Amino acid sequence: MMPERTPYIAGNWKLWGTRAQASEYCEKLLALLPDASRRPADVGLCVPFTALDVCVEALAGSGVLVCAQNMSAEESGAYTGEISAPMLLELKVDGVVLGHSERRAYYGETDRALQEKLPVALAAGLKPILCVGETEDEREAGDMERKLRHQVGEALHEVPDERLADVVIAYEPIWAIGTGKVASPEQAQEAIAFVRALVGGRSEEAAQAIRVLYGGSAKPDNAAEILAQTDVDGALVGGASLDPEDFARIVAAAG
Ligand code: PGA
């Protein structure tokens, strides 16, 4: 018996969203989303640190999850510019994106650092969204599976088997992020089934339960086809999430 996996549609605002914009956005989104009990998917917003409390307050009781876009593995200390898990919990944040390709590429996020961050997030009760994905060169060189095996293996190394299913993985091919070049439904299915199989190497039960999302130029007009793939459990949406109407249409496409 295959367990039912609730789809998850998460918006990643990246570097967008003053507090004023965040509050206006949340109001618009709530007017567009069906009530939590009638939603086809869990819905989350990954927002800048400075907008977290605004979103938590505006979305209270709506069932929409609020996530940070990064977190330190440290609790406190001499780590200038960092934000810890307890600080996020204090704001009643639900989850955190870890290892987004932009953080890996521009800010030196490493697999080793992620290996420390994942257990810290889980122990704190934050729902992590771990991002993985290959570059165009890696795909063309036939290295996609090697890259995914490495990223997933390293990041989940210190996560106990019984907590694996509490992680959400977002497969985001780097060539599709912000480029308008979306993976085909078949490419998304193939890579995500492979990610699931990698988790299966640790625990078959976790592999069946863990949610693996697609990310990379997901839009209202391509989402339904991708989300219909057997192993695709949702989407991490960047650009299209900045428009509440587009984002709500992608949520609807999960139904
Ligand atoms: P995009 O970004 O939808 O703008 O391609 C996705 C992401 O980076 O999470």
Side-chain angles (χ1 to χ4, degrees):
M1 255 296 274
M2 292 272 285
E4 281 288 312
R5 296 186 297 264
T6 307
Y8 186 18
I9 307 293
N12 176 12
W13 289 0
K14 309 190 179 186
L15 181 48
W16 180 87
T18 62
R19 295 167 69 80
Q21 285 168 326
S23 135
E24 193 188 333
Y25 179 103
C26 291
E27 196 180 318
K28 281 192 187 154
L29 181 66
L30 286 183
L32 293 162
L33 287 180
D35 287 346
S37 62
R38 292 187 300 118
R39 260 175 233 155
D42 290 344
V43 179
L45 292 177
C46 311
V47 309
F49 291 125
T50 48
L52 285 167
D53 66 329
V54 172
C55 292
V56 166
E57 192 180 331
L59 299 169
S62 72
V64 177
L65 304 171
V66 179
C67 307
Q69 299 175 1
N70 185 27
M71 182 202 80
S72 172
E74 306 296 335
E75 197 171 319
S76 67
Y79 305 102
T80 303
E82 292 295 305
I83 300 282
S84 68
M87 292 171 181
L88 297 178
L89 286 178
E90 188 182 34
L91 299 186
K92 301 192 167 55
V93 167
D94 301 291
V96 60
V97 178
L98 294 174
H100 190 280
S101 63
E102 287 150 14
R103 294 221 60 87
R104 294 178 189 256
Y106 310 146
Y107 301 103
E109 183 78 296
T110 62
D111 290 311
R112 180 49 62 97
L114 294 167
Q115 201 171 88
E116 291 177 21
K117 290 182 181 191
L118 273 147
V120 169
L122 288 167
L126 292 164
K127 300 173 179 65
I129 301 179
L130 167 69
C131 300
V132 297
E134 82 287 0
T135 63
E136 187 148 45
D137 285 353
E138 287 164 340
R139 174 170 278 264
E140 280 169 8
D143 277 345
M144 177 188 84
E145 294 193 349
R146 192 184 54 78
K147 177 74 173 292
L148 294 177
R149 183 179 295 111
H150 180 79
Q151 288 185 324
V152 171
E154 288 285 302
L156 297 182
H157 198 263
E158 301 300 323
V159 175
D161 285 359
E162 64 276 12
R163 296 301 313 269
L164 284 172
D166 297 323
V167 177
V168 172
I169 302 179
Y171 165 67
E172 301 204 298
I174 293 165
W175 47 271
I177 296 178
T179 56
K181 213 166 144 186
V182 66
S184 69
E186 295 73 26
Q187 286 172 325
Q189 165 60 27
E190 185 196 14
I192 287 178
F194 181 72
V195 167
R196 192 179 305 289
L198 291 172
V199 176
R202 291 275 309 273
S203 154
E204 197 42 52
E205 201 184 331
Q208 292 309 318
I210 197 169
R211 291 183 291 182
V212 189
L213 318 183
Y214 168 77
S217 299
K219 308 278 179 228
D221 60 1
N222 62 30
E225 219 188 341
I226 295 176
L227 295 171
Q229 302 297 309
T230 322
D231 282 286
V232 180
D233 299 319
L236 182 56
V237 184
S241 76
L242 299 186
D243 177 346
E245 288 192 17
D246 282 353
F247 187 58
R249 282 172 66 201
I250 296 175
V251 172

